[in-house]
Amino acid sequence: TPDNFVKDIDGGIDRDIFDINEDLGLDLFEGDIRLDGVQVR
Amino acid sequence: NSIIGENYRWPHTIPYVLEDSLEINAKGVILNAFERYRLKTCIDFKPWTGEANYISVIKGSGCWSSVGNRHVGRQELSIGANCDRIATVQHEFLHALGFWHEQSRSDRDDYVSIVWDRIQSGREHNFNTYSDQLSDSLNVPYDYTSVMHYSKTAFQNGTEPTIVTRISDFEDVIGQRMDFSDYDLLKLNRLYNCSSSLSFMDSCNFELENVCGMIQSSGDSADWQRVSQIPSGPDSDHSNMGQCEGSGFFMHFNSSSVNVGATAVLESRVLYPKRGFQCLQFYVYNSGSESDQLNIYIREYSADSVNSSLTLVEEIKGIPSGNWQLYYVTLKVTNKFRVVFEGRRGSGASLGGLSIDDINLSETQCPHHVWHIRNFTQFIESPNATLYSPPFYSSKGYAFQIHLDLSQLTNVGIYFHLISGANDDQLQWPCPWQQATMTLLDQNPDIRQRMSNQRSITTDPFMTTDNGNYFWDRPSKVGEVALFPNGTEFRRNRGYGTSAFITHERLKSRDFIKGNDVFILLTVEDISHLNSTQVQPIPSMPTTASVEDLCSQIRCENDGICAVRDDKAECRCQAGEDWWYMGERCEKRGSTRDTIVIAASSTAAVFAAMLIVTLVSVYCTKKKYRKRTSSKTEAVTLENKNVY
């Protein structure tokens, strides 16, 4: 079978949680923590 | 490290909702993550039934969570696109349970060094630490292997690491996303005072002389013996693989010393099921006759606990000889029981017998198939190594094959292929909503300490390829020709998976490769039911009888109506355009005119009061100044007299 006969869901890149969030333009606290209003204040 | 404060804790059973926005693959992965919590911790999950606080898992933008129970009612946790990995879900739920990232511990600088000039501008705050007044590390050492640790490339502005471990051996260990580490579990179990888990039942590696409370039967011809090696094999146990001198034991049935048909029976201690379904797994080594067999029975006790019934569950025959084999046996026991291992001498010559080791029993689902790859190191040492599994059938009848790509420099890839099979005429095409879960087994003797690497994919019947075909259509229609090792021709569809399953470095760590054997566990199951909305709880309505009982105790006036709210009777009062009744029994009347009058008279009263205060102040001040002026005039006159 051809070498490229696969569909790679990760597109050849091993992305961690923080890479995914950064690529989406999120600026979450410590990369993946959502703060509530009290914590933001 | 955990956030300090009991108010941030969830109950041990956390209510959840899987929102419709989630991708179907993500829903299945989340449910698998819940099973890991149930096996290794005392945290359980249940669908929300109206509790005050619950976790709503959504497909938001990215993967994120709040830290701890925020008591906001509906607390969101996002598993967005590309976040549908089991360890990512475990990581986010650990945040929800009250954990920060590992490198934000107050003592982190003793263990890692942060390279500040390699961090993206504006992201330096992500490397702050918490003081030990805010966070508690629960008396557990710093954990490089934590699933909550940043990787060395976190928030880097170039290609150099932002985090450098002070012990260089852990340089590439940090950032693992396989499973909970031992210390992750220790901290979680300490924080929530766990003493047991829902799913774990027993684990035995036979290292202790009490053999985990297992007992020898008296109604058989021979006994199982606890040994460390057998001349005809195995030469070591499976737990330690002979690496520990003076230890490393397993149980052996010497079939060479008994007649054909003779048996040796070993029974587990009494076990008490909670969930009603179990998975028994163990390793077997055959150094006896080809026809020696291992039978698995269940001795189940009735309600009176005196009588028991013995049921044959599995006959394991034709056990390959020469190395340890892994077996899974599915059980469905609901009453207290024992597991019974019966070794039976078969016909033919025997120079040894049957050996068993590393038994684990848990109330989880067994994998559907196991791909045993022998002599694995020869593949990772050879370039361009690509392995295809034997063909398997899913529970629905779809034939499939797994493809392991070892040819890349850094990462190992894994892909799921549908192939042509015997049932294709009767199956639905394109293949709809079958989730394939592929697990690289970490062969630690104790199931609770395994950090197996798992990925899942789900077939989407609407997915198309560039040439307009359905990706998951029948292999005979869209597949390519391929050959089995025996020369049989079949059709293989395009593979669907990931090039980043695990790094080569991690693959060689832990017990992924043990005795030169690798096991990949496979489950393919129908998850189409996850496409539907999770049933939402209906608020409990009081019955007619209970309404009448409560309302008989209260009398509403002025045509007010009694209603029950939160199990309390209250009066709903009449109201018009500019008037209303109020009070507990609608006894008082109010109107807009009254409100205007009250407002106007209040304003007038305040004005009058302030006017009086002003007038009095002016009067007093004037009086004061008048006195001062007259005393100054006298002084001047006196001065003048003095001069003259």
Side-chain angles (χ1 to χ4, degrees):
Chain A
T1 51
D3 286 340
N4 60 349
F5 199 58
V6 292
K7 165 85 175 144
D8 179 5
I9 58 177
D10 288 328
I13 310 170
D14 186 9
R15 291 195 297 169
D16 194 11
I17 296 165
F18 313 106
D19 302 317
I20 293 168
N21 291 345
E22 284 289 301
D23 290 346
L24 288 167
L26 301 177
D27 184 16
L28 292 164
F29 186 69
E30 289 191 13
D32 72 334
I33 293 174
R34 189 165 91 154
L35 301 177
D36 59 27
V38 170
Q39 289 172 303
V40 169
R41 280 194 295 276
Chain B
N1 58 117
S2 62
I3 187 169
I4 290 177
E6 282 302 310
N7 53 305
Y8 294 112
R9 307 293 163 256
W10 285 91
H12 286 90
T13 301
I14 299 175
Y16 71 92
V17 170
L18 298 187
E19 301 284 356
D20 287 348
S21 58
L22 284 165
E23 293 172 9
I24 189 172
N25 190 59
K27 288 184 182 179
V29 167
I30 291 163
L31 295 175
N32 285 342
F34 289 170
E35 284 299 319
R36 283 188 168 182
Y37 275 93
R38 291 182 181 115
L39 175 66
K40 300 184 178 190
T41 79
C42 62
I43 300 298
D44 191 4
F45 297 87
K46 65 174 183 177
W48 178 50
T49 53
E51 292 84 356
N53 298 300
Y54 67 99
I55 293 182
S56 171
V57 192
I58 64 169
K59 184 186 175 183
S61 180
C63 344
W64 47 260
S65 170
S66 302
V67 174
N69 184 352
R70 311 307 301 187
H71 293 275
V72 294
R74 178 175 174 271
Q75 180 168 324
E76 289 184 333
L77 186 152
S78 173
I79 301 296
N82 301 309
C83 301
D84 52 343
R85 301 185 189 193
I86 192 169
T88 300
V89 177
Q90 289 171 262
H91 177 112
E92 298 307 333
F93 271 93
L94 278 179
H95 278 317
L97 283 160
F99 288 92
W100 304 106
H101 295 119
E102 183 69 3
Q103 75 290 325
S104 63
R105 280 170 62 130
S106 54
D107 60 351
R108 72 102 189 275
D109 290 319
D110 292 340
Y111 303 97
V112 296
S113 170
I114 306 299
V115 188
W116 297 96
D117 58 1
R118 294 178 185 168
I119 297 172
Q120 290 170 26
S121 175
R123 295 288 187 260
E124 294 84 356
H125 61 272
N126 289 340
F127 291 80
N128 290 346
T129 59
Y130 297 102
S131 78
D132 51 18
Q133 306 300 310
L134 281 174
S135 81
D136 183 1
S137 52
L138 298 155
N139 207 21
V140 175
Y142 192 87
D143 183 12
Y144 295 108
T145 67
S146 174
V147 77
M148 301 303 285
H149 204 299
Y150 282 175
S151 72
K152 69 177 187 181
T153 59
F155 306 103
Q156 60 181 179
N157 57 17
T159 57
E160 295 300 307
T162 49
I163 306 178
V164 176
T165 56
R166 296 205 187 274
I167 303 174
S168 58
D169 294 325
F170 290 102
E171 198 177 294
D172 293 315
V173 168
I174 58 171
Q176 70 85 7
R177 301 285 183 255
M178 297 183 293
D179 200 343
F180 299 121
S181 68
D182 287 347
Y183 280 160
D184 284 333
L185 295 171
L186 184 59
K187 281 180 276 195
L188 177 54
N189 292 336
R190 272 190 187 161
L191 192 64
Y192 282 85
N193 298 317
C194 297
S195 57
S196 65
S197 79
L198 176 65
S199 297
F200 175 74
M201 293 198 89
D202 204 5
S203 179
C204 191
N205 59 11
F206 300 109
E207 295 312 302
L208 296 179
E209 290 89 343
N210 74 340
V211 295
C212 312
M214 296 185 84
I215 56 178
Q216 304 274 7
S217 175
S218 52
D220 51 3
S221 331
D223 279 347
W224 288 82
Q225 289 163 328
R226 179 173 170 265
V227 297
S228 59
Q229 61 111 23
I230 295 292
S232 56
D235 53 14
S236 71
D237 77 324
H238 187 266
S239 313
N240 300 320
M241 285 285 167
Q243 288 174 22
C244 303
E245 207 170 306
S247 75
F249 293 88
F250 54 94
M251 299 303 282
H252 179 71
F253 163 48
N254 186 359
S255 62
S256 65
S257 64
V258 296
N259 295 325
V260 174
T263 58
V265 176
L266 185 66
E267 297 192 29
S268 75
R269 60 183 176 83
V270 177
L271 299 155
Y272 297 84
K274 295 177 202 167
R275 300 181 85 181
F277 61 93
Q278 299 84 23
C279 183
L280 173 70
Q281 51 183 296
F282 49 87
Y283 287 85
V284 178
Y285 192 109
N286 184 10
S287 58
S289 157
E290 270 182 13
S291 54
D292 282 355
Q293 73 183 59
L294 181 66
N295 297 327
I296 308 298
Y297 295 83
I298 292 297
R299 184 184 298 285
E300 192 168 359
Y301 294 87
S302 58
D304 62 14
S305 296
V306 173
N307 299 317
S308 66
S309 60
L310 195 63
T311 309
L312 177 65
V313 177
E314 189 94 5
E315 286 180 310
I316 299 174
K317 299 178 188 177
I319 304 168
S321 54
N323 59 356
W324 288 98
Q325 306 289 324
L326 174 61
Y327 287 94
Y328 286 86
V329 178
T330 295
L331 308 173
K332 279 193 173 75
V333 191
T334 51
N335 299 313
K336 78 177 190 186
F337 69 103
R338 295 179 195 268
V339 179
V340 178
F341 295 85
E342 180 192 74
R344 182 177 286 269
R345 168 79 156 96
S347 58
S350 169
L351 294 174
L354 293 176
S355 305
I356 53 172
D357 201 1
D358 294 348
I359 303 174
N360 282 282
L361 180 66
S362 57
E363 292 200 282
T364 54
Q365 297 287 350
C366 280
H368 294 172
H369 302 284
V370 179
W371 178 18
H372 180 183
I373 308 173
R374 293 180 183 78
N375 298 319
F376 190 78
T377 41
Q378 66 170 324
F379 298 116
I380 49 178
E381 284 163 4
S382 70
N384 300 319
T386 297
L387 303 176
Y388 283 94
S389 75
F392 299 106
Y393 282 98
S394 76
S395 48
K396 284 278 182 186
Y398 291 96
F400 67 92
Q401 200 179 33
I402 303 301
H403 157 204
L404 198 65
D405 178 10
L406 300 165
S407 64
Q408 299 169 75
L409 204 60
T410 308
N411 293 324
V412 174
I414 194 164
Y415 302 91
F416 173 84
H417 294 259
L418 282 180
I419 62 173
S420 48
N423 308 309
D424 287 1
D425 285 341
Q426 287 81 44
L427 296 172
Q428 193 176 341
W429 298 105
C431 175
W433 314 122
Q434 306 298 299
Q435 185 173 59
T437 299
M438 300 167 283
T439 307
L440 175 67
L441 180 68
D442 177 16
Q443 299 181 64
N444 189 291
D446 190 333
I447 193 176
R448 294 167 295 183
Q449 292 179 277
R450 290 176 178 170
M451 291 173 66
S452 298
N453 193 68
Q454 184 182 107
R455 290 294 296 270
S456 299
I457 60 97
T458 299
T459 67
D460 178 352
F462 305 109
M463 186 175 158
T464 54
T465 57
D466 294 336
N467 56 11
N469 288 330
Y470 285 108
F471 192 98
W472 298 105
D473 210 342
R474 185 167 174 159
S476 57
K477 199 170 158 190
V478 301
E480 296 278 329
V481 172
L483 295 172
F484 286 124
N486 66 357
T488 307
E489 192 178 286
F490 68 102
R491 291 271 177 169
R492 183 194 287 139
N493 275 13
R494 211 167 148 199
Y496 192 82
T498 173
S499 58
F501 180 56
I502 191 170
T503 62
H504 278 282
E505 202 168 335
R506 292 197 199 280
L507 170 61
K508 290 174 202 164
S509 72
R510 301 189 63 82
D511 285 326
F512 291 111
I513 307 171
K514 194 168 187 181
N516 216 355
D517 291 317
V518 160
F519 293 94
I520 296 189
L521 313 179
L522 304 164
T523 294
V524 179
E525 56 191 339
D526 184 356
I527 60 166
S528 56
H529 61 282
L530 295 179
N531 257 330
S532 57
T533 306
Q534 182 176 329
V535 174
Q536 300 289 326
I538 299 166
S540 57
M541 301 291 286
T543 61
T544 313
S546 64
V547 168
E548 284 175 359
D549 288 339
L550 288 167
C551 282
S552 63
Q553 294 159 19
I554 194 169
R555 198 176 140 267
C556 302
E557 297 175 23
N558 295 309
D559 296 325
I561 296 169
C562 178
V564 174
R565 197 174 91 157
D566 294 334
D567 293 327
K568 211 176 135 194
E570 51 190 35
C571 289
R572 303 281 166 91
C573 306
Q574 278 217 18
E577 207 178 297
D578 57 356
W579 59 268
W580 56 85
Y581 284 101
M582 56 190 177
E584 257 194 39
R585 287 169 287 108
C586 305
E587 68 275 19
K588 296 176 219 165
R589 192 177 189 283
S591 67
T592 325
R593 187 164 160 267
D594 289 345
T595 311
I596 294 168
V597 164
I598 291 168
S601 41
S602 306
T603 309
V606 167
F607 177 77
M610 290 310 297
L611 186 63
I612 293 169
V613 166
T614 307
L615 289 171
V616 167
S617 305
V618 165
Y619 172 75
C620 291
T621 310
K622 254 183 145 177
K623 194 176 170 185
K624 187 176 164 185
Y625 272 109
R626 220 182 278 142
K627 263 192 191 167
R628 203 184 275 181
T629 312
S630 61
S631 62
K632 267 191 184 170
T633 310
E634 276 182 20
V636 166
T637 311
L638 280 168
E639 276 177 19
N640 287 339
K641 271 189 180 172
N642 286 338
V643 164
Y644 284 117

